[in-house]
Amino acid sequence: MVKWTDFERATIQDIFSKIDYDVVGPAALSRCLIVYPWTQRYFGGFGNLYNAAAITSNPKVAAHGKVVISGLEKAVKNMDDIKTIYKDLSVLHSEKLQVDPDNFNLLADCLTIVVAGQIGAAFTPEVHAAFQKFLAVVVASLRKQYY
Amino acid sequence: MTSLTAKDKNTIKAFWAKISPNAAAIGADALGRMLVVYPQTKTYFSHWKDLSPGSAPVKKHGATVMGGVADAVTKIDNMTSGLLNLSELHAFTLRVDPANFKILAHNILVVFAIRLPNDFTPEVHVAVDKFLAALARALSEKYR
């Protein structure tokens, strides 16, 4: 089981209480699709992803960004058992969506950069480390059911 | 991975002009941050007395690293030949595992996002990410 320090628990709760989900979710997903364009392979039905402007203004991308960050909230609320909470999501990503799990790290990096931009100087190395650890646990849990 | 387009190079040079006054501080922040967030990177600095963010060795070395990045910007049209000496240094003397170049690059990007949230747009992000990846490739050139 993952061991969280008091600082790490408090930091994760604090970050997610501060950020605007409607901004961060869409921003992280669109940044991922722009910076790592091969990730667009999973979004064939989303319409115009032709350039950065199109991606940023695409309503399906925005809507899905919110879905993703709401999914993260499950982990925030159940930090002591993310592996179990994410079992079905892991099966979904593996069997139905067939997402290469290396992509989880790409989205995680973009999310980190967006959150850093939102939080600014308060995103200290220690806060960053806690966030990184949280995302690493999330990614590992999402990978768990892949075969 | 793809090479830098003319548009990428212009984006990078324009962004670099914005950050260069604070390059040393950005380097120090990125390096200090990396040592905390990715503690395995500390193994390269066991000879330092103090590895904490803001410490003297971290500040000095962060400035050195960013100086190297600044140099790479001026040699952006041919980084492989321009950075030959730095590549030999990293390959034969420092022997830094090239996976760490990616880790440091990520931390540099995080610091850009913190300091220039409005300038570090997705378009700038992709160009800078490509540049740092190309820089890492040039640094890896002499490894084997």
Side-chain angles (χ1 to χ4, degrees):
Chain A
M1 205 188 81
V2 182
K3 284 206 175 78
W4 303 100
T5 65
D6 290 341
F7 173 79
E8 285 165 349
R9 278 182 203 277
T11 298
I12 298 305
Q13 301 305 314
D14 191 51
I15 289 174
F16 279 84
S17 71
K18 279 200 174 91
I19 58 174
D20 184 347
Y21 285 24
D22 289 346
V23 169
V24 168
L29 182 61
S30 55
R31 195 169 277 256
C32 187
L33 295 171
I34 293 166
V35 178
Y36 308 106
W38 54 94
T39 58
Q40 292 169 25
R41 72 188 304 282
Y42 301 108
F43 302 98
F46 274 33
N48 186 0
L49 298 176
Y50 191 59
N51 54 36
I55 291 170
T56 317
S57 57
N58 186 313
K60 285 187 172 168
V61 171
H64 197 68
K66 294 179 195 176
V67 167
V68 168
I69 197 136
S70 307
L72 269 178
E73 208 188 9
K74 263 195 226 171
V76 175
K77 294 198 161 114
N78 294 282
M79 281 175 71
D80 286 315
D81 207 4
I82 296 175
K83 207 168 66 187
T84 310
I85 292 286
Y86 272 4
K87 189 155 177 259
D88 290 345
L89 262 178
S90 179
V91 170
L92 175 78
H93 282 77
S94 160
E95 293 184 19
K96 183 158 178 272
L97 305 174
Q98 293 176 322
V99 178
D100 179 341
D102 284 347
N103 290 294
F104 301 149
N105 290 314
L106 300 181
L107 181 56
D109 281 352
C110 285
L111 183 62
T112 303
I113 281 169
V114 168
V115 168
Q118 287 267 301
I119 292 181
F123 199 66
T124 62
E126 292 76 12
V127 167
H128 180 174
F131 193 65
Q132 180 64 31
K133 179 173 166 178
F134 172 73
L135 289 180
V137 172
V138 164
V139 168
S141 303
L142 277 177
R143 290 184 93 116
K144 193 90 186 132
Q145 301 301 324
Y146 274 69
Y147 61 89
Chain B
M1 283 290 167
T2 52
S3 50
L4 300 171
T5 64
K7 185 170 170 228
D8 288 331
K9 291 180 189 179
N10 288 334
T11 304
I12 291 153
K13 288 179 194 170
F15 185 70
W16 193 263
K18 293 200 171 101
I19 73 118
S20 60
N22 295 307
I26 288 171
D29 191 351
L31 186 68
R33 194 170 280 273
M34 182 187 78
L35 296 169
V36 170
V37 182
Y38 302 91
Q40 70 272 20
T41 58
K42 291 196 290 192
T43 55
Y44 291 98
F45 303 102
S46 50
H47 54 288
W48 285 356
K49 275 208 183 84
D50 186 353
L51 285 107
S52 56
S55 69
V58 169
K59 270 189 176 154
K60 182 163 176 268
H61 198 63
T64 303
V65 167
M66 264 334 232
V69 178
D71 190 37
V73 176
T74 67
K75 295 172 175 162
I76 202 167
D77 289 316
N78 199 340
M79 282 200 275
T80 309
S81 55
L83 301 177
L84 224 44
N85 291 336
L86 266 180
S87 181
E88 282 177 353
L89 175 73
H90 284 76
F92 303 129
T93 310
L94 304 175
R95 288 178 289 195
V96 176
D97 188 316
N100 294 291
F101 299 150
K102 218 171 162 194
I103 293 174
L104 179 57
H106 175 65
N107 283 283
I108 291 173
L109 298 181
V110 170
V111 174
F112 286 158
I114 290 173
R115 286 183 177 239
L116 297 101
N118 298 320
D119 292 302
F120 194 61
T121 61
E123 293 91 326
V124 169
H125 178 168
V126 60
V128 175
D129 194 44
K130 283 175 76 174
F131 167 68
L132 292 175
L135 213 181
R137 276 199 304 282
L139 279 180
S140 308
E141 190 65 28
K142 288 298 199 181
Y143 269 63
R144 53 178 176 175

